[in-house]
Amino acid sequence: MSNQEKPTRVAIYVRVSTEEQAEQGYSIDAQLDTLRKHCLYSEKVIFHEYVDRGISGKSMEKRLELQQMLKDAEKNSFDEVLVWKLNRLARNTIDLLQMVEVLEKHNVAFSSFSEKFDTSTPMGKFTLQMMASVGEFERNTIVENVKMGLKQRARTGKHNGKVPLGYRAVKDANNVSNHHESNVEIIEAEAAIVTKIFERFAAGRGFKSIANELNHEGYVTKPGGAFSISGVKEILDNPFYAGKVRYCRFENWSDKRRKGRNPKPDIFEGLHPAIISEELWNKVRYLRNMKSVVALKRFDGEFLLTWLIRCPQCGGPMVANRIQNRQKDGSKITRLYYSCSNFRNKGSKVCSANSIRKQEAEQYVIERIKEVLALPQMLRGIVKNINERKTKRIKPLQQELDHLLSKITELEGKKQKYFDLYEADGLAREMFSKRLDDINGELDRLHVKKSELAFELKDDNSQPVSYEVVRSLLDKFDKLLESSSFDQRKTLMHLVIKQITVRDTRTIDQIQMNFDVNTVQHFLAADPSATHAGGSFAVHMKRGIQGQSISVVI
């Protein structure tokens, strides 16, 4: 390399999930060591090492180091991203190609140590796509094989995963071929709770009534919490209590969650003992099917602030509530409120209604925004408080990060001492392995926390906020509320307002709002006139909110 040529700046990215840490060649240290030597041999300069420890590659959500790397790529901080293997960057083809496209957009090359290709050529791109597709195919094949194994277990009457309330899993000491196999036993005290739920529902009691009674009687769920309407339903719908095993209740849970509910899951006879009789199970099924076709109650009126207002007693969200009162002349009058969701779902043992009138709450929120806009001094005071909170918040974060870095250095030193002892035959292999596992586990935890803190400190949230930006945001929000339909107003409320706190007197205390880049994009889309380059709102946003989030409490 000539003296005039600048060395290639390389960003190393490594990742290992919790499951992969035990596999040969997948460790963080092994990946880093290989990639560092490659850069040294190729005369390339390492800009930074981005490390996601103990995190799956399925999505980007928790991969803070990856997110930071892509941000740095947009700033042209380096020339190349180097990974040990393609699947370290992404587990599916679409995500991988999208990330490579982002890198190429900013003139950043992408290379893998294990798979040789050049994405700057058509053949290199084709090779990348083929290799990513093969990797995804292998992963999907493994997933399908696991599903087949789980279905076979269910078909033979064995349970999969955790057992529900009323049961416990105990290791099968007689099964020498599989030490992980377990049997299911009944916990009599918990089984009594399950029986109460089925018998009370069969006698005509409702979900809320059953949950409320159980909570007042001092019973708790398997994790130790209060019973809820949804929790009672889950128990009543679980065939495990009738001695059966259910398989494939949800399809593609990691992607679809409850939207992937399978209307006809597979039901097999189980090997475990039943808690309720077949007759009681069938009676409850009949009642559940009858009630499921009854139309759900619908509230009159339009509720803008459902789930935004927080209960002053328990802090839970407040939901729509309608109360009918009979007048002296015999007519009925309906009053609309926001009431505590925990009270409505779990009963008076957990919380109280703490109702606040719908009209008064919504009117106060809208009028409060107008009041702040009409009083510049009040708004300047709010902005001053925002900036003071930002300044105070950064110092403890930095101190915590410094402490973590010191702890990581200390553990790395201890790790090296154990290596030296082991090589000098001063430590038994079993003891060495155990202590190394303990240190690596603690290091993974500290590195994850370090990434979170570093990401938070780098996110530009420490930058001062200007009065003009906050005023523009509130003014635009106020005008859009006036000109929008109900559905649009509700969307705006839930997009911008984080939460609304209530005093013990059942009057609104504070409105916590949050504006970010997505909020601004929503505003611009909702109001085409704001997209003009000369518009003050657009200009303020380019200067004031790009890359950061602004929280306002009024």
Side-chain angles (χ1 to χ4, degrees):
M1 182 172 62
S2 67
N3 294 332
Q4 294 181 346
E5 288 181 343
K6 289 185 179 180
T8 302
R9 300 166 300 169
V10 176
I12 290 178
Y13 177 76
V14 295
R15 177 190 63 78
V16 64
S17 67
T18 305
E19 294 79 8
E20 292 168 332
Q21 292 191 55
E23 295 183 23
Q24 182 66 28
Y26 272 83
S27 73
I28 290 291
D29 293 336
Q31 293 180 55
L32 285 174
D33 184 57
T34 301
L35 298 181
R36 286 168 186 160
K37 289 178 181 176
H38 176 74
C39 289
L40 182 64
Y41 177 79
S42 305
E43 296 184 340
K44 295 178 180 179
V45 176
I46 298 174
F47 167 74
H48 187 67
E49 294 173 354
Y50 300 88
V51 182
D52 279 321
R53 294 173 180 263
I55 298 173
S56 169
K58 186 170 179 61
S59 70
M60 287 181 56
E61 184 179 350
K62 295 182 179 180
R63 298 166 68 188
L64 301 180
E65 289 289 294
L66 175 61
Q67 295 179 40
Q68 187 60 50
M69 184 186 75
L70 293 176
K71 282 187 176 183
D72 291 342
E74 293 176 1
K75 299 174 186 176
N76 297 116
S77 300
F78 45 80
D79 309 304
E80 178 184 340
V81 170
L82 175 64
V83 297
W84 176 66
K85 204 171 183 180
L86 278 178
N87 61 13
R88 299 302 89 197
L89 192 66
R91 280 291 194 182
N92 65 68
T93 309
I94 294 176
D95 285 349
L96 177 64
L97 295 180
Q98 285 178 342
M99 278 187 260
V100 172
E101 186 178 353
V102 169
L103 295 174
E104 289 182 347
K105 181 180 178 181
H106 297 283
N107 297 317
V108 176
F110 171 69
S111 60
S112 165
F113 174 80
S114 302
E115 302 107 346
K116 307 300 181 184
F117 54 82
D118 181 4
T119 56
S120 63
T121 66
M123 181 55 71
K125 288 181 180 179
F126 175 73
T127 304
L128 171 65
Q129 292 171 4
M130 290 299 295
M131 294 175 74
S133 298
V134 169
E136 186 173 359
F137 171 74
E138 290 176 347
R139 180 176 180 275
N140 291 338
T141 301
I142 293 172
V143 170
E144 286 302 315
N145 289 339
V146 170
K147 285 182 179 179
M148 287 175 62
L150 294 175
K151 186 170 184 178
Q152 181 59 28
R153 280 183 56 85
R155 185 179 284 112
T156 56
K158 298 176 182 178
H159 74 285
N160 290 312
K162 295 180 180 179
V163 294
L165 180 74
Y167 293 96
R168 63 168 160 252
V170 292
K171 287 186 177 179
D172 186 356
N174 297 322
N175 194 331
V176 293
S177 61
N178 187 351
H179 296 292
H180 298 290
E181 194 62 68
S182 60
N183 294 324
V184 177
E185 295 178 351
I186 291 177
I187 304 174
E188 295 299 336
E190 292 183 4
I193 304 173
V194 174
T195 303
K196 285 178 185 289
I197 292 173
F198 274 88
E199 288 179 345
R200 289 175 184 181
F201 185 81
R205 305 292 292 278
F207 305 123
K208 182 181 177 182
S209 173
I210 294 172
N212 194 28
E213 279 192 359
L214 291 173
N215 292 330
H216 276 286
E217 290 166 3
Y219 295 115
V220 294
T221 61
K222 193 81 168 177
F227 281 94
S228 64
I229 290 174
S230 59
V232 171
K233 287 182 180 178
E234 284 290 312
I235 290 173
L236 291 171
D237 291 341
N238 194 345
F240 202 85
Y241 296 114
K244 304 179 188 301
V245 174
R246 177 174 54 191
Y247 175 74
C248 199
R249 184 186 178 198
F250 295 99
E251 297 171 325
N252 299 326
W253 172 263
S254 58
D255 297 321
K256 299 180 180 179
R257 293 294 191 261
R258 295 193 181 276
K259 291 183 179 178
R261 184 185 290 273
N262 182 2
K264 293 183 178 180
D266 297 321
I267 306 293
F268 304 102
E269 288 295 329
L271 297 176
H272 63 280
I275 289 178
I276 62 166
S277 66
E278 188 77 16
E279 181 184 0
L280 181 55
W281 169 257
N282 291 334
K283 184 176 181 180
V284 168
R285 296 272 40 80
Y286 174 76
L287 291 174
R288 287 287 285 124
N289 292 333
M290 289 293 292
K291 290 186 177 184
S292 66
V293 300
V294 178
L296 296 174
K297 290 183 179 179
R298 301 189 65 181
F299 290 100
D300 296 327
E302 300 169 330
F303 288 80
L304 285 173
L305 308 177
T306 305
W307 295 96
L308 294 179
I309 303 179
R310 313 301 290 190
C311 173
Q313 183 176 340
C314 70
M318 301 185 76
V319 295
N321 188 18
R322 179 180 66 177
I323 298 177
Q324 283 192 340
N325 297 118
R326 189 178 295 277
Q327 304 288 81
K328 290 182 180 179
D329 60 1
S331 62
K332 292 182 180 179
I333 182 171
T334 301
R335 291 188 172 88
L336 303 179
Y337 296 90
Y338 289 100
S339 300
C340 176
S341 60
N342 281 329
F343 166 76
R344 289 183 56 77
N345 191 26
K346 301 177 182 178
S348 58
K349 172 69 175 179
V350 177
C351 196
S352 303
N354 295 312
S355 300
I356 181 172
R357 290 184 182 273
K358 168 192 177 296
Q359 185 175 356
E360 292 176 5
E362 293 176 1
Q363 185 175 348
Y364 178 87
V365 171
I366 294 171
E367 292 301 322
R368 178 63 176 169
I369 295 169
K370 294 183 183 295
E371 179 186 12
V372 171
L373 285 170
L375 299 172
Q377 286 305 113
M378 181 187 291
L379 186 56
R380 290 187 188 277
I382 291 171
V383 173
K384 181 181 177 182
N385 288 335
I386 293 173
N387 291 326
E388 286 178 351
R389 284 200 306 272
K390 284 176 176 287
T391 303
K392 290 178 181 177
R393 179 172 159 272
I394 293 303
K395 188 175 179 180
L397 285 177
Q398 187 60 56
Q399 289 175 340
E400 188 177 357
L401 180 59
D402 292 341
H403 174 72
L404 281 176
L405 292 173
S406 175
K407 189 69 177 174
I408 288 171
T409 302
E410 179 186 332
L411 286 173
E412 289 288 0
K414 188 179 290 187
K415 185 176 174 181
Q416 187 58 49
K417 287 181 181 178
Y418 283 129
F419 271 112
D420 294 341
L421 269 173
Y422 179 67
E423 289 176 354
D425 293 330
L427 194 64
R429 181 175 180 178
E430 293 77 10
M431 182 62 72
F432 170 71
S433 179
K434 182 181 182 306
R435 293 185 179 178
L436 200 62
D437 286 344
D438 291 342
I439 291 176
N440 284 334
E442 181 65 9
L443 278 172
D444 286 344
R445 187 186 68 79
L446 292 175
H447 276 290
V448 169
K449 185 63 178 175
K450 184 201 78 171
S451 297
E452 292 173 354
L453 288 171
F455 187 80
E456 204 169 351
L457 286 167
K458 288 181 181 179
D459 206 22
D460 292 331
N461 284 329
S462 60
Q463 298 299 316
V465 178
S466 73
Y467 164 81
E468 289 77 13
V469 167
V470 176
R471 179 173 178 79
S472 295
L473 288 166
L474 287 175
D475 186 53
K476 175 58 63 176
F477 181 63
D478 180 47
K479 288 179 179 176
L480 284 175
L481 285 179
E482 289 182 354
S483 61
S484 302
S485 65
F486 168 75
D487 288 338
Q488 290 172 325
R489 289 203 306 276
K490 188 162 187 175
T491 299
L492 286 169
M493 288 286 193
H494 284 258
L495 185 68
V496 173
I497 297 177
K498 186 175 181 180
Q499 68 174 21
I500 301 167
T501 55
V502 178
R503 302 184 185 93
D504 292 337
T505 55
R506 299 187 188 180
T507 56
I508 289 178
D509 180 24
Q510 291 183 334
I511 305 167
Q512 185 176 342
M513 311 176 79
N514 192 72
F515 298 91
D516 58 20
V517 176
N518 292 329
T519 308
V520 174
Q521 289 174 347
H522 184 91
F523 284 163
L524 294 175
D527 184 6
S529 64
T531 60
H532 297 303
S536 61
F537 180 72
V539 172
H540 283 320
M541 292 312 96
K542 287 177 182 177
R543 295 175 180 172
I545 199 172
Q546 193 169 17
Q548 67 169 317
S549 173
I550 297 176
S551 294
V552 181
V553 178
I554 62 175

